[in-house]
Amino acid sequence: MDYDAIDGLEEAGPRVTVREAASGHVDFTLSNVELAFANSLRRVMLAEIPIMAIDLVEVEANTSVLADEFIAHRLGLIPLNSKQIEDVVYTRDCQCEQYCENCSVTLTLHARCTGDEIMKVYARDLVVAEPRPNEWVGTPVITDPAGLGSVICKLRKGQELRMKCIAKKGIAKEHAKWAPTSAIGFEYDPHNKLKHVDYWYEEDAAKEWPLSKNATWEDPASTTLPFAYDALPSKFYFEVESVGSLEPDNIVQQGIKVLQQKLALVLHDLDGPDIGAGVGDGGPENGIGFGAGGFGGADPGQAGQDAFGGDG
């Protein structure tokens, strides 16, 4: 992504300054906006950006020491590539009965320990089945140097794990497994010039509450000027850390897109059907049933069969 400044940007408009960008995180400042907007962007990036995650697990064989639900929960928290997630349809909007190639990605896991040593099952052992909406979506995210990924479980000699996993599109507001970020740092007024924070201290507040690195980007509070009671924050510091499903800059872009869709939906409800046409969908799936990472996303009438399938 090109982070160069846009020519002709008005000084009064929102401004973004990227301080550091890497494959796993982006550090930037957002200025000339109100606190409500900055905090809304933070909340949307945390909970309302759709990504892929394993939602249903059909257990064909599990002779490990871990229960089916335990392994299903671990599978649900494995990050999956969500590049061009727009190609995937929400299950509730699909014409299929439960899942198909348009609204899901199928992954298979088959591991059996035949040696005397303990065998570890990793995310790399998940095999993505074709077809799928595009060539990236649903692939397990593996970032460690050894190329192994997250540990799913351990097997002893004679133990076996054979499962079919169904990954679906969702948002973190429904379940944390669909969270695109592991953390988002957010700060404003690092010198506390606005007095929004009342520091508790024993002897010296300056020593017991050291300034953050963002304090170097602003001037300290003046000791001569009177306190401005009507002052408002206008510069905000973000640090977005991705779990790997989406690139950090894409998370920020998707967050702004979701905000636009939500505002367009409000205009649509206030002014009539012509405003906000084409607004994207979002929000939690309907129905409950046991799935990977917790409860949700399955047909209530098929809960037991979908979660464990067969003799699992």
Side-chain angles (χ1 to χ4, degrees), residues 61-205:
N62 177 23
T63 56
S64 69
V65 298
L66 300 180
D68 295 345
E69 297 92 338
F70 196 101
I71 296 179
H73 185 273
R74 294 181 65 83
L75 288 169
L77 297 178
I78 294 177
L80 302 179
N81 194 321
S82 301
K83 187 176 181 180
Q84 294 187 8
I85 190 70
E86 298 83 4
D87 296 339
V88 184
V89 181
Y90 280 103
T91 301
R92 66 174 180 275
D93 298 329
C94 192
Q95 300 300 319
C96 64
E97 292 185 2
Q98 189 174 12
Y99 59 85
C100 66
E101 62 188 52
N102 296 321
C103 64
S104 66
V105 175
T106 301
L107 302 94
T108 58
L109 176 64
H110 187 197
R112 182 181 178 86
C113 181
T114 58
D116 295 329
E117 298 294 328
I118 294 177
M119 173 185 175
K120 293 182 179 180
V121 182
Y122 294 95
R124 69 170 182 181
D125 298 318
L126 287 166
V127 179
V128 182
E130 299 291 346
R132 49 179 170 165
N134 61 49
E135 59 181 305
W136 305 284
V137 70
T139 303
V141 175
I142 299 175
T143 58
D144 60 292
L148 301 175
S150 307
V151 177
I152 299 174
C153 72
K154 298 179 181 180
L155 301 177
R156 293 298 298 267
K157 186 175 182 179
Q159 294 180 342
E160 182 182 11
L161 200 63
R162 188 167 67 251
M163 297 180 171
K164 179 181 178 181
C165 308
I166 308 300
K168 295 185 178 182
K169 179 180 177 180
I171 60 175
K173 183 180 287 187
E174 179 187 357
H175 196 285
K177 65 185 176 185
W178 279 300
T181 60
S182 56
I184 296 182
F186 179 74
E187 184 183 19
Y188 68 91
D189 188 25
H191 291 283
N192 197 29
K193 293 183 288 186
L194 302 178
K195 304 299 182 183
H196 286 186
V197 179
D198 185 13
Y199 293 121
W200 182 93
Y201 62 93
E202 293 181 345
E203 295 180 359
D204 189 346

Side-chain angles (χ1 to χ4, degrees), residues 234-247:
S234 61
K235 191 171 187 179
F236 307 90
Y237 304 89
F238 287 83
E239 185 165 2
V240 179
E241 182 177 336
S242 171
V243 298
S245 299
L246 294 173
E247 294 182 352

Side-chain angles (χ1 to χ4, degrees), residues 255-273:
I256 295 174
K257 179 180 178 180
V258 171
L259 269 180
Q260 291 175 329
Q261 292 172 345
K262 293 169 77 71
L263 291 173
L265 206 56
V266 173
L267 292 177
H268 175 274
D269 292 339
L270 292 176
D271 298 334

Side-chain angles (χ1 to χ4, degrees), residues 284-305:
E285 303 274 337
N286 294 324
I288 58 173
F290 179 80
F295 293 87
D299 182 355
Q302 301 290 331
Q305 179 181 354

